[in-house]
Amino acid sequence: MIVSTRVEYGLMALLDIASHSENDISVSTTDIAERQNISQKYLEQILPLLRQAGLIRAQKGLRGGYRLSRSANLLKLSEVLNALDGSILAGMEITEESTESSLRNVINECLWESINARIREYAENRTLGDLLEECRRKAAGSWDSYII
């Protein structure tokens, strides 16, 4: 599966915010960009998508930045993926000729739709909190030193 940098960096930014915004502290774009080695300009294009989807809140001012809109345990990965790229969890596009019975249509239905259904189910049943915990376990104490 090929995932765009917008999705990859958006997930990294959300995990960074979730990890560093405990106790209602806002996380600045500069800090995220620096910790995760992401262009700040590109990050500033991604974060509004997450804000518009209601996943993060922006705080202006001297200590401004971003916080999750609700607990990471309440943010489904499907919400995150749909906010960043609505096509990832979308089903196969059926063309007019797909109404014919052909090997291509059978493969699409038996293989690709099955794979897509499992991906959608996984994303619907996992939260950002689940992903955060899994990343923390795999990083084993070196969380800030590595790109997620």
Side-chain angles (χ1 to χ4, degrees):
M1 173 187 280
I2 297 173
V3 177
S4 69
T5 55
R6 180 174 58 199
V7 172
E8 183 181 3
Y9 291 173
L11 275 169
M12 290 168 60
L14 273 175
L15 288 169
D16 190 280
I17 292 167
S19 178
H20 292 93
S21 66
E22 295 164 349
N23 300 324
D24 261 357
I25 297 171
S26 293
V27 180
S28 75
T29 310
T30 305
D31 289 343
I32 298 168
E34 190 175 292
R35 277 192 295 263
Q36 303 308 328
N37 196 28
I38 300 172
S39 158
Q40 187 171 346
K41 282 190 174 235
Y42 192 40
L43 195 56
E44 288 170 351
Q45 295 173 22
I46 296 170
L47 292 173
L49 297 172
L50 299 171
R51 189 179 52 74
Q52 290 167 356
L55 303 175
I56 59 175
R57 290 186 305 216
Q59 180 178 331
K60 295 182 181 184
L62 183 59
R63 296 196 183 259
Y66 293 92
R67 288 181 280 156
L68 297 179
S69 62
R70 55 192 187 273
S71 165
N73 293 324
L74 298 176
L75 294 175
K76 292 182 180 183
L77 288 182
S78 59
E79 292 178 272
V80 174
L81 296 174
N82 283 329
L84 295 167
D85 182 351
S87 69
I88 289 179
L89 300 179
M92 299 260 324
E93 228 178 84
I94 307 296
T95 61
E96 287 181 29
E97 62 190 56
S98 68
T99 56
E100 302 171 16
S101 179
S102 69
L103 183 56
R104 173 182 283 166
N105 295 332
V106 172
I107 290 170
N108 284 343
E109 187 176 324
C110 294
L111 178 64
W112 303 120
E113 272 303 317
S114 180
I115 289 171
N116 286 339
R118 285 187 172 87
I119 290 170
R120 283 190 300 272
E121 180 183 351
Y122 179 86
E124 206 38 56
N125 292 310
R126 297 278 310 241
T127 66
L128 187 67
D130 296 331
L131 183 59
L132 179 63
E133 286 307 311
E134 190 173 337
C135 288
R136 282 181 171 159
R137 276 195 305 277
K138 290 192 186 236
S142 56
W143 178 255
D144 289 338
S145 302
Y146 294 96
I147 296 173
I148 299 169

